[in-house]
Amino acid sequence: MKLRTFLTALAATTLFLAMAVTAHAETTLNALFMSQAAYSEADVKAMTADFEAANPGLKVNLEFVPYEALHDKIIAAKGAGDRGYDVVLFDVVWPAEFAKRGFLVDVTDRISKEVEQQVFDGAWTTVSCNGQRYGMPWILDTKYMFYNKDMLRKAGFSNPPKTWKELAEQATAIKAKGIVEYPIVWSWSQSEAMICDYTTLVAAYGGKFFENGKPAFNKGGALDAVTYMAASLKDGLTNPSSREYLEEDVRRVFSNGEAAFAMNWTYMYNLANDPKESRVAGNVDVMPCPGVDGISTASGVNGSMGLGITSNSVHQDEAWKFITFLTSQPVQNRYARLSLPIWKSSYSDPEVVKGQEALVKAASQGIAVMTPRPLVPSYTELSNILQRYIHEALLGEATPADAMDKAAKRAARLR
């Protein structure tokens, strides 16, 4: 009888363990990423393959969408319950909204003090709201000024511009000498990309989005920024098609040798210097975005992004394991070509620095001056308002002052 009981218990235990192993083996995560700028799809797929190899029984379904679809995809997935995403990539401007609406899991207690100290402070703003962490920063990025060294030399310049005024002066000389028709190219389609360029200029001119809780982008440095943008179009320095471009269009135009200057993210540096991708490879250099005399020496926008666990996920521990793998220093150092690591010590690591010394130097300066877009729960609505009226000014349908007055009045109604 005792033997039968023992065998029964043993069988039950074996069945339980088998079920546990089977359940573990069947764990599949659904993860949402974007398909533009920063890490390429190939990089993310390779990282994920390494994660799966290191974690038998865990599989990850990857989905890539354009940045413009990322926000709405995350919101729509909330209604899918546990059939939605486990891990999502999110922009620095969304944590306030996502925290308020309960889309992301608070992971503050999962992050050690040691990790806190090893990551750049600016990176933590990407995933933070009201002192809580809603993920791990993954893409640490700001916009840089890329320039064609050969075109500058032909125009008689031995150094790139230090201020936005100097940029316009050098562009004017390059255009006058017929080196290129439109010396500057930007991503000024009616999109978030344009707001990132605008924020960089607002920071350079010392402007503010809000003052005492009220919209302030219709005065001071924030208005100066739009005025500068509109003037560069009116003067024929900016490629007029910039008003339809996103980041990949900017990379294509610059890499074809059709512009002397371009603002873009980290990922453009190595691609623009790759002969397989660029006609100007070897002539491309990079610097932090310029400043304004008496106000700033450099400028930048916080374009970082983080990885978070959705509140719907029934595999939150496994999701966190995937996030900590992708954001780990060894993985980030290994793939530090289209996006630079979040870890401070990586910027002196030969594995990261070798072959891209200029980029790492520019990053060391650019990261220090990163300026956030407004971190408010209604950011998406605010951005849509700014996009509409800034674009109106760039199309010449209104003066910068009139356009930004209308934007300020609309934004004042947001709650």
Side-chain angles (χ1 to χ4, degrees), residues 36-341:
Q36 66 195 64
Y39 297 113
S40 65
E41 286 190 27
D43 281 352
V44 178
K45 289 176 180 174
M47 294 176 198
T48 301
D50 291 343
F51 170 76
E52 291 175 337
N55 295 275
L58 289 181
K59 300 294 180 186
V60 185
N61 287 332
L62 300 173
E63 182 177 343
F64 296 89
V65 297
Y67 170 87
E68 287 69 25
L70 196 57
H71 176 272
D72 291 350
K73 271 275 189 180
I74 295 171
I75 290 178
K78 176 73 173 176
D82 60 8
R83 293 170 298 165
Y85 302 109
D86 299 285
V87 174
V88 293
L89 177 68
F90 61 90
D91 198 356
V92 61
V93 289
W94 300 336
E97 175 192 358
F98 288 178
K100 183 179 179 181
R101 301 175 73 173
F103 288 169
L104 295 177
V105 174
D106 181 347
V107 296
T108 308
D109 293 339
R110 292 179 184 262
I111 301 169
S112 70
K113 293 295 180 188
E114 184 181 21
V115 169
E116 289 264 4
Q117 295 169 356
Q118 292 174 349
V119 170
F120 282 104
D121 292 343
W124 286 119
T125 63
T126 310
V127 297
S128 301
C129 179
N130 297 325
Q132 304 302 111
R133 310 293 195 205
Y134 289 90
M136 275 292 290
W138 186 45
I139 298 169
L140 178 61
D141 215 346
T142 187
K143 286 211 168 183
Y144 299 94
M145 183 59 65
F146 297 86
Y147 58 95
N148 184 310
K149 293 183 289 186
D150 191 43
M151 289 185 183
L152 263 64
R153 275 195 297 270
K154 288 179 179 176
F157 299 107
S158 54
N159 294 301
K162 293 181 179 179
T163 66
W164 288 103
K165 181 182 176 186
E166 286 183 15
L167 174 69
E169 291 170 351
Q170 291 193 5
T172 300
I174 289 168
K175 184 179 180 71
K177 293 190 176 185
I179 297 170
V180 67
E181 184 176 8
Y182 298 113
I184 315 173
V185 61
W186 319 66
S187 48
W188 287 353
S189 64
Q190 190 173 325
S191 66
E192 190 63 25
M194 178 181 66
I195 300 303
C196 291
D197 288 5
Y198 171 62
T199 301
T200 302
L201 283 157
V202 171
Y205 279 96
K208 297 178 181 177
F209 285 94
F210 291 94
E211 202 168 59
N212 299 321
K214 296 181 180 178
F217 31 79
N218 57 339
K219 59 184 178 181
L223 177 57
D224 292 340
V226 182
T227 303
Y228 183 93
M229 295 164 76
S232 75
L233 279 162
K234 184 179 178 182
D235 295 341
L237 304 180
T238 283
N239 187 325
S241 295
S242 294
R243 294 172 294 194
E244 302 167 9
Y245 285 167
L246 291 172
E247 291 92 339
E248 275 295 83
D249 302 305
V250 171
R251 181 172 77 87
R252 175 180 51 78
V253 170
F254 183 81
S255 296
N256 277 341
E258 298 168 14
F261 301 101
M263 261 184 75
N264 213 334
W265 306 105
T266 301
Y267 85 105
M268 189 168 110
Y269 180 75
N270 281 300
L271 292 176
N273 272 312
D274 181 351
K276 296 177 183 174
E277 296 276 347
S278 171
R279 294 179 178 175
V280 297
N283 275 318
V284 179
D285 213 334
V286 62
M287 56 176 279
C289 287
V292 171
D293 277 334
I295 299 176
S296 58
T297 57
S299 53
V301 58
N302 188 344
S304 305
M305 303 185 81
L307 292 171
I309 306 170
T310 64
S311 55
N312 287 353
S313 174
V314 295
H315 304 299
Q316 296 187 3
D317 288 340
E318 292 86 353
W320 184 246
K321 183 177 285 189
F322 182 48
I323 289 172
T324 53
F325 180 86
L326 293 187
T327 59
S328 67
Q329 189 166 17
V331 171
Q332 288 218 299
N333 285 2
R334 195 180 313 141
Y335 290 92
R337 285 297 177 268
L338 302 181
S339 184
L340 292 174

Side-chain angles (χ1 to χ4, degrees), residues 12-24:
T13 302
T14 303
L15 178 61
F16 172 79
L17 289 173
M19 290 175 65
V21 169
T22 300
H24 183 66

